């Protein structure tokens, strides 16, 4: 079963093609690394899949539903963390957690407390006073605590130091191993996600060049 599927998916910005006939399949339970240089079409793909942008052509399905018809029911099963994500920086970490909880019936307070300890997030600190690494961990916590079926990470490591990146990966991995979740993570650097992923897709100039288990790719190019 595939948790994400697209067929001939395309997206134009004016006369420019950002996506060209993208055929993508992300198996349920996989950790799928979506790799490509800056401007390759990674963020556009994610925005179309999340129904933040309309496709120009083709179709996409997420959690078995047409991406253009995602309802609150599906959105409550999707976690989303982006490098450009805007958080209410006037809130403290504690206020952010209290704000998010009512939206998600599956919110796990025990998991929330565990991740707060693991990420060493100060509950009384305003988000505007957190470092970029701490902000990304707060966004990840808010996307993990309700145990989504699909976690989408759009360039989450951009600008993070290696220690924070490793803590981020550890948190995502520990939670995903507790049950069958799918992680779809975009990056421009395969070294960032190699220890995390078991599938890899490579996109360039809006075209998918390959998609296969990372073990097969490593075996062919070792």
């Amino acid at each position: 079963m595939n948790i994400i599927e697209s067929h001939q998916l395309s997206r134009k910005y004016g006369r420019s093609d950002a996506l060209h006939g993208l055929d993508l399949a992300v198996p349920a339970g996989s950790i799928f690394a979506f790799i490509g240089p800056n401007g390759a079409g990674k963020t556009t793909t994610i925005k179309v899949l999340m129904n933040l942008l309309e496709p120009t052509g083709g179709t996409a399905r997420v959690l078995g539903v047409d991406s253009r018809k995602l309802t609150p029911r599906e959105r409550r099963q999707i976690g989303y963390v982006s490098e450009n994500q805007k958080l209410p920086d006037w809130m403290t970490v504690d206020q952010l957690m209290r704000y998010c909880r009512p939206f998600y019936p599956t919110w796990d307070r025990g998991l929330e407390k565990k991740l707060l300890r693991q990420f060493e997030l100060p509950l009384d600190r305003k988000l505007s006073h957190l470092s970029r690494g701490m902000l990304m961990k707060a966004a990840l916590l808010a996307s993990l605590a309700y145990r989504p079926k699909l976690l989408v990470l759009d360039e989450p490591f951009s600008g993070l130091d290696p220690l924070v990146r490793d803590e981020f990966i550890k948190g995502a991995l520990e939670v995903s191993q507790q049950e069958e979740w799918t992680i779809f993570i975009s990056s421009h650097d395969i070294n960032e996600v190699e220890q995390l992923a078991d599938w890899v897709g490579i996109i360039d100039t809006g075209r998918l060049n390959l998609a296969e288990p990372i073990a097969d790719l490593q075996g062919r190019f070792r």
Side-chain angles (χ1 to χ4, degrees):
M1 174 186 173
N2 295 321
I3 204 159
I4 293 173
E5 290 182 340
S6 72
H7 178 66
Q8 291 297 295
L9 193 64
S10 62
R11 169 70 193 189
K12 289 179 178 286
Y13 293 106
R15 295 184 178 181
S16 300
D17 291 318
L19 295 179
H20 304 266
L22 193 72
D23 291 329
L24 181 66
V26 177
S30 66
I31 301 178
F32 193 105
F34 196 47
I35 306 296
N38 292 329
K42 301 185 300 296
T43 295
T44 297
T45 301
I46 287 173
K47 286 185 174 181
V48 172
L49 293 174
M50 297 294 101
N51 198 25
L52 300 175
L53 286 175
E54 282 273 348
T56 307
T59 59
R61 297 182 70 81
V62 179
L63 299 173
V65 176
D66 188 315
S67 64
R68 295 165 295 184
K69 299 178 181 178
L70 292 174
T71 68
R73 177 179 178 274
E74 285 81 43
R75 292 191 180 280
R76 285 194 293 264
Q77 300 177 70
I78 300 172
Y80 177 58
V81 179
S82 167
E83 65 169 330
N84 298 315
Q85 194 163 359
K86 301 296 183 184
L87 295 176
D89 59 6
W90 53 270
M91 286 186 178
T92 64
V93 173
D94 183 54
Q95 287 170 332
L96 178 66
M97 297 302 107
R98 287 193 281 117
Y99 174 78
C100 291
R101 284 178 206 134
F103 290 105
Y104 303 100
T106 56
W107 190 280
D108 186 333
R109 292 293 299 275
L111 179 57
E112 174 196 333
K113 291 177 181 178
K114 176 183 176 182
L115 291 173
L116 279 169
R117 290 193 302 270
Q118 181 175 327
F119 291 159
E120 299 181 340
L121 285 165
L123 283 170
D124 59 349
R125 187 82 56 83
K126 283 190 175 183
L127 300 179
S128 59
H129 297 160
L130 296 180
S131 67
R132 171 166 171 72
M134 283 290 193
L135 271 176
M136 293 302 292
K137 287 194 284 188
L140 180 63
L141 192 161
S143 293
L144 288 177
Y146 55 92
R147 297 185 178 275
K149 289 186 177 179
L150 171 63
L151 177 63
V152 178
L153 305 174
D154 186 12
E155 293 278 6
F157 307 128
S158 179
L160 299 188
D161 65 56
L163 180 59
V164 174
R165 183 189 68 196
D166 289 346
E167 290 175 347
F168 192 101
I169 290 173
K170 182 181 177 184
L173 274 177
E174 283 186 356
V175 177
S176 69
Q177 289 169 354
Q178 293 178 17
E179 52 193 284
E180 189 174 274
W181 291 6
T182 306
I183 299 177
F184 184 75
I185 179 170
S186 77
S187 176
H188 61 271
D189 185 352
I190 196 169
N191 292 322
E192 287 184 336
V193 295
E194 187 175 6
Q195 62 175 305
L196 181 64
D198 51 23
W199 273 75
V200 63
I202 297 179
I203 185 173
D204 192 18
T205 60
R207 293 180 172 86
L208 190 68
N209 291 334
L210 64 84
E212 61 184 88
I214 200 165
D216 293 352
L217 181 66
Q218 290 170 331
R220 288 193 293 117
F221 293 101
R222 190 173 304 282

Short mmCIF file of all heavy atoms in Angstrom, two decimals, residues 7 23 38 48 54 92 96 110 130 133-134 169 180 187 199 204:
data_model
loop_
_atom_site.label_atom_id
_atom_site.label_comp_id
_atom_site.label_asym_id
_atom_site.label_seq_id
_atom_site.Cartn_x
_atom_site.Cartn_y
_atom_site.Cartn_z
N HIS A 7 0.31 10.82 -10.15
CA HIS A 7 0.35 10.36 -11.54
C HIS A 7 0.37 11.58 -12.46
O HIS A 7 -0.55 12.39 -12.45
CB HIS A 7 -0.88 9.49 -11.86
CG HIS A 7 -0.94 9.03 -13.29
ND1 HIS A 7 -0.01 8.17 -13.83
CD2 HIS A 7 -1.81 9.34 -14.29
CE1 HIS A 7 -0.31 7.95 -15.10
NE2 HIS A 7 -1.39 8.65 -15.40
N ASP A 23 5.49 11.04 -11.34
CA ASP A 23 4.88 9.77 -10.91
C ASP A 23 5.63 9.32 -9.66
O ASP A 23 6.77 8.87 -9.75
CB ASP A 23 4.98 8.70 -11.99
CG ASP A 23 4.08 9.00 -13.19
OD1 ASP A 23 3.02 9.62 -12.99
OD2 ASP A 23 4.46 8.63 -14.32
N ASN A 38 18.54 22.67 -4.61
CA ASN A 38 17.62 23.78 -4.40
C ASN A 38 16.97 24.16 -5.73
O ASN A 38 17.66 24.27 -6.76
CB ASN A 38 18.34 24.98 -3.80
CG ASN A 38 18.81 24.71 -2.39
OD1 ASN A 38 18.19 23.96 -1.65
ND2 ASN A 38 19.92 25.34 -2.00
N VAL A 48 1.82 20.83 -3.16
CA VAL A 48 0.71 20.26 -3.93
C VAL A 48 0.11 19.06 -3.19
O VAL A 48 -1.11 18.93 -3.09
CB VAL A 48 1.18 19.85 -5.34
CG1 VAL A 48 0.09 19.08 -6.07
CG2 VAL A 48 1.56 21.09 -6.16
N GLU A 54 -2.56 24.27 -5.92
CA GLU A 54 -3.33 23.47 -6.88
C GLU A 54 -2.39 22.91 -7.94
O GLU A 54 -1.53 23.64 -8.45
CB GLU A 54 -4.39 24.34 -7.56
CG GLU A 54 -5.62 24.60 -6.71
CD GLU A 54 -6.66 23.50 -6.88
OE1 GLU A 54 -6.54 22.68 -7.80
OE2 GLU A 54 -7.59 23.48 -6.06
N THR A 92 4.64 30.94 24.50
CA THR A 92 5.68 30.10 25.10
C THR A 92 5.52 28.69 24.55
O THR A 92 4.51 28.36 23.90
CB THR A 92 5.54 30.07 26.63
OG1 THR A 92 4.30 29.45 26.96
CG2 THR A 92 5.61 31.47 27.22
N LEU A 96 2.03 26.89 23.26
CA LEU A 96 1.91 26.24 21.95
C LEU A 96 1.33 24.84 22.11
O LEU A 96 0.44 24.44 21.36
CB LEU A 96 3.28 26.16 21.27
CG LEU A 96 3.29 25.44 19.91
CD1 LEU A 96 2.48 26.22 18.88
CD2 LEU A 96 4.73 25.25 19.42
N GLY A 110 1.65 11.69 27.28
CA GLY A 110 2.86 11.00 27.70
C GLY A 110 3.99 11.18 26.71
O GLY A 110 5.15 11.43 27.09
N LEU A 130 13.75 31.48 21.25
CA LEU A 130 14.41 30.19 21.01
C LEU A 130 15.36 30.28 19.83
O LEU A 130 15.14 31.05 18.89
CB LEU A 130 13.38 29.10 20.74
CG LEU A 130 12.41 28.72 21.86
CD1 LEU A 130 11.47 27.62 21.40
CD2 LEU A 130 13.15 28.30 23.12
N GLY A 133 17.37 25.93 16.07
CA GLY A 133 17.31 24.51 16.36
C GLY A 133 16.19 24.17 17.34
O GLY A 133 15.46 23.19 17.16
N MET A 134 16.05 24.99 18.39
CA MET A 134 14.99 24.78 19.37
C MET A 134 13.61 24.97 18.73
O MET A 134 12.66 24.25 19.02
CB MET A 134 15.16 25.73 20.55
CG MET A 134 16.24 25.31 21.52
SD MET A 134 15.77 23.83 22.45
CE MET A 134 17.01 23.83 23.73
N ILE A 169 16.76 13.86 14.32
CA ILE A 169 16.61 12.55 13.68
C ILE A 169 16.26 11.49 14.71
O ILE A 169 15.38 10.65 14.49
CB ILE A 169 17.91 12.18 12.92
CG1 ILE A 169 18.08 13.08 11.70
CG2 ILE A 169 17.90 10.71 12.51
CD1 ILE A 169 19.40 12.90 10.99
N GLU A 180 3.59 1.82 12.91
CA GLU A 180 3.87 2.01 11.49
C GLU A 180 3.48 3.41 11.04
O GLU A 180 2.33 3.68 10.71
CB GLU A 180 3.15 0.97 10.63
CG GLU A 180 3.61 1.02 9.17
CD GLU A 180 3.02 -0.10 8.35
OE1 GLU A 180 3.60 -1.19 8.34
OE2 GLU A 180 1.99 0.13 7.71
N SER A 187 15.26 16.95 1.21
CA SER A 187 16.58 17.50 1.54
C SER A 187 17.37 17.69 0.25
O SER A 187 17.12 17.01 -0.75
CB SER A 187 17.33 16.55 2.49
OG SER A 187 18.64 17.04 2.75
N TRP A 199 14.00 4.48 1.85
CA TRP A 199 13.69 4.70 0.44
C TRP A 199 14.25 6.07 0.04
O TRP A 199 14.36 6.97 0.87
CB TRP A 199 12.18 4.71 0.18
CG TRP A 199 11.60 3.35 -0.07
CD1 TRP A 199 11.37 2.37 0.86
CD2 TRP A 199 11.17 2.83 -1.32
NE1 TRP A 199 10.82 1.27 0.26
CE2 TRP A 199 10.68 1.52 -1.08
CE3 TRP A 199 11.14 3.31 -2.62
CZ2 TRP A 199 10.17 0.70 -2.09
CZ3 TRP A 199 10.64 2.52 -3.64
CH2 TRP A 199 10.16 1.21 -3.36
N ASP A 204 15.01 16.38 -10.04
CA ASP A 204 15.82 17.47 -10.58
C ASP A 204 15.01 18.15 -11.68
O ASP A 204 14.40 17.48 -12.51
CB ASP A 204 17.14 16.93 -11.14
CG ASP A 204 18.14 18.04 -11.45
OD1 ASP A 204 17.96 19.16 -10.92
OD2 ASP A 204 19.08 17.81 -12.22
#
